[in-house]
Amino acid sequence: MMNAPAGEVRRTWSLALLRLSVWLGLWAIIGFFIGQIAWALLAGLSIYTAGHLLFAYQLHRWLAKPRIEPREGLGVWQEIYTELYRLKQRNRRRKRRLKDIVSEFQASTAALPDGAVVIDGRGRIVWFNQAAAVILALRAGQDNGQRIVNLIRHPRFGEFMVSAALDGTMAELEIPAPANEANTVLLRIVPYGDGQRLLVARDVSDQKRLESTRRDFVANASHELRTPLTVLRGYLEIMNEDAGESGALAAWQRPLREMSAQSQRMGRIIDSLLRLARLEAEGMHQRQEAIDIGEMIRQVVDGLKRHEARDHVFELDLQPGLNLYGRASELESVIANLAANAARYSPAASTIRIAWQAEAGGALLSVADNGPGIAPEHIPRLTERFYRVDSGRKASDGGTGLGLAIVKHSLEHHESELIIDSEPGAGSTFSARFPHSRLIIEDAA
Ligand code: ADP
């Protein structure tokens, strides 16, 4: 149904004016005959006004109580009633359409396997679907309007909500499921509208279990390989002693040396795998303390200069008094792996620069070498386990392909990231950027 066109409205009102003129004309004529024109006009106007008042009253009553049938009006009132009736019809249709959309939306989100919770600007629950009720142990009806932080009582959840509202630094949070502590829930926040947020909760327990099975398998396999390898290495050592110029195994000198080198490499791979498994399993629970990173760098460099990097020149640029709160063994493995890589992949006697400095928003640990550099297509993959740019490198170079995976993991435990800046022919800089919250800066005085 369409609105009345503007021309029709004008015509109705012109007709109303004409009617009024005729009405008043009639009363004027009556007044003329009875010699009281003014009184007659007043009477005519009063009747006219009373009529309009009556219709206005009826309209008001109908608007206040739309259930009662509208009385038909006269003249313009008839038109006004028709228009209002059309408006009502249109609204009814729009309402029905909106209701359909809402129920369709609710049906589809209810069928969603992920929990969805709509949260208003003040952190109160506006709506949630069936999956959210199950995953987050929310009670339909009862928990609507409650503050979400009062219902999900994990210590990091409050911080997560604040971060989502401010800058989104904490994009995801994994917590034990409120309904069942043995399960794990992954939470994400999607801000929208005016301060509103959608909390999406996914049950990732199966995925977690699978990951932990894989981790356990790798850890167990590595552990089991250790003993036979130790036996092999023991025999190889004895045989190596016999492989001197005049020994019984003199002819086997080269193969035995190669076997020793390979078995040492296997030992390093197993150690690295066990280290990674440990990092994944318990890294977060290790004790944390304030660590003098400058001192740690000096010790690592001293160690390298005695063995792997005898001929390299190390230039250290360490900010005094800049300490980091973290896990010592993990941070040491970060420094050791980055420094050993710099030495391994750059020519002997070249310079390696290691810096530890505060910067805007945190601190940067960087290790720069003059090595061959890395082509851009390799850079995103370097932290994958066993990923090596030059897979044909000699086993004796000491690499395992796990070093940067360990670095990445250790940094993740310190809310930090690894930044790789390299170009073929221009050397490489591997940096770790630590957040300000982890710094403990001593007064220089
Ligand atoms: P690897 O034990 O092989 O060094 P990593 O995980 O430490 O294993 O490093 C992965 C790969 O990244 C290395 O094989 C190497 O190709 C490349 N890489 C690491 N550090 C450097 C560096 N400083 N310069 C050039 N390439 C590097």
Side-chain angles (χ1 to χ4, degrees):
M1 220 183 288
M2 296 272 293
N3 275 2
E8 206 173 297
V9 174
R10 216 173 301 127
R11 209 169 320 120
T12 308
W13 283 90
S14 314
L15 211 66
L17 267 178
L18 189 71
R19 264 199 226 109
L20 175 61
S21 321
V22 172
W23 177 254
L24 288 181
L26 260 172
W27 281 96
I29 293 168
I30 295 172
F32 178 75
F33 283 114
I34 57 172
Q36 295 284 356
I37 293 185
W39 283 110
L41 276 177
L42 188 66
L45 264 177
S46 304
I47 294 170
Y48 185 83
T49 315
H52 275 288
L53 273 177
L54 182 67
F55 287 134
Y57 164 72
Q58 275 179 4
L59 176 64
H60 193 176
R61 213 173 52 152
W62 179 59
L63 286 177
K65 246 195 208 151
R67 249 170 248 278
I68 56 172
E69 272 304 299
R71 295 261 177 86
E72 288 292 300
L74 276 178
V76 284
W77 290 100
Q78 202 169 11
E79 295 300 318
I80 289 173
Y81 272 116
T82 314
E83 284 304 319
L84 278 172
Y85 187 68
R86 281 183 188 150
L87 201 68
K88 218 172 136 186
Q89 290 286 80
R90 253 201 323 273
N91 274 343
R92 200 175 291 159
R93 267 203 309 277
R94 198 174 296 157
K95 222 156 124 185
R96 205 176 306 136
R97 221 172 30 237
L98 274 176
K99 222 163 128 187
D100 285 351
I101 292 175
V102 169
S103 41
E104 214 167 280
F105 169 77
Q106 283 189 336
S108 56
T109 44
L112 217 63
D114 291 353
V117 185
V118 174
I119 300 165
D120 69 10
R122 284 155 60 191
R124 288 174 213 276
I125 298 178
V126 177
W127 174 88
F128 55 87
N129 67 352
Q130 180 60 29
V134 175
I135 298 174
L136 299 174
L138 299 178
R139 291 155 303 175
Q142 221 166 323
D143 287 342
N144 288 73
Q146 298 280 350
R147 281 169 57 82
I148 183 96
V149 284
N150 291 343
L151 297 174
I152 301 179
R153 302 215 56 105
H154 190 271
R156 297 198 67 201
F157 184 70
E159 190 191 330
F160 172 62
M161 290 295 290
V162 171
S163 147
L166 291 180
D167 49 10
T169 43
M170 238 168 121
E172 292 180 351
L173 176 69
E174 251 181 39
I175 57 168
N180 176 2
E181 295 269 314
N183 289 346
T184 310
V185 181
L186 177 73
L187 301 175
R188 274 199 205 102
I189 293 264
V190 188
Y192 72 94
D194 195 10
Q196 273 132 303
R197 283 154 290 174
L198 179 70
L199 174 72
V200 182
R202 170 176 292 179
D203 187 336
V204 288
S205 317
D206 287 344
Q207 201 178 320
K208 282 266 134 192
R209 268 177 222 124
L210 215 67
E211 268 174 35
S212 113
T213 314
R214 177 190 61 80
R215 230 174 20 228
D216 290 351
F217 171 75
V218 174
N220 290 340
S222 313
H223 197 77
E224 289 301 320
L225 284 171
R226 232 181 185 175
T227 322
L229 187 65
T230 314
V231 177
L232 284 179
R233 280 168 75 177
Y235 280 121
L236 276 172
E237 226 165 86
I238 299 169
M239 287 161 91
N240 253 322
E241 280 166 16
D242 267 357
E245 291 301 318
S246 54
L249 293 169
W252 286 86
Q253 202 174 26
R254 269 195 51 194
L256 279 173
R257 213 171 292 146
E258 179 71 7
M259 281 157 83
S260 289
Q262 290 289 3
S263 68
Q264 270 168 22
R265 177 158 180 246
M266 268 172 84
R268 278 197 302 273
I269 294 178
I270 288 173
D271 287 347
S272 295
L273 280 173
L274 281 171
R275 187 173 194 111
L276 256 179
R278 252 202 317 275
L279 264 177
E280 286 178 322
E282 58 179 57
M284 298 292 262
H285 307 298
Q286 271 180 32
R287 200 173 72 85
Q288 304 202 56
E289 59 194 317
I291 295 161
D292 183 346
I293 295 290
E295 182 51 32
M296 197 175 245
I297 291 174
R298 265 186 230 109
Q299 280 172 11
V300 168
V301 168
D302 282 350
L304 282 174
K305 279 186 81 101
R306 274 198 295 275
H307 299 287
E308 298 102 305
R310 269 190 210 102
D311 304 321
H312 280 86
V313 180
F314 283 91
E315 260 181 34
L316 306 185
D317 178 11
L318 312 172
Q319 179 172 328
L322 182 61
N323 296 336
L324 189 82
Y325 185 71
R327 303 165 184 91
S329 66
E330 292 184 5
L331 293 169
E332 187 175 358
S333 79
V334 169
I335 300 169
N337 273 305
L338 293 183
N341 276 353
R344 192 177 306 138
Y345 299 105
S346 65
S350 64
T351 304
I352 295 169
R353 270 180 214 90
I354 305 184
W356 168 238
Q357 296 284 349
E359 54 159 30
L364 198 72
L365 164 75
S366 65
V367 181
D369 63 48
N370 291 307
I374 305 159
E377 67 267 26
H378 295 298
I379 292 182
R381 302 196 55 191
L382 291 186
T383 53
E384 287 174 23
R385 282 149 211 237
F386 299 114
Y387 187 85
R388 314 186 78 192
V389 174
D390 181 3
S391 53
R393 278 185 76 95
K394 285 205 312 295
S396 57
D397 72 1
T400 60
L402 290 167
L404 291 181
I406 293 177
V407 168
K408 184 182 165 210
H409 252 91
S410 306
L411 289 180
E412 273 170 8
H413 287 176
H414 294 84
E415 304 87 48
S416 312
E417 49 169 354
L418 177 68
I419 305 155
I420 305 172
D421 190 10
S422 182
E423 251 178 67
S428 315
T429 304
F430 285 73
S431 323
R433 178 171 290 148
F434 294 93
H436 186 263
S437 54
R438 286 213 165 255
L439 299 182
I440 300 166
I441 301 170
E442 278 171 23
D443 242 336

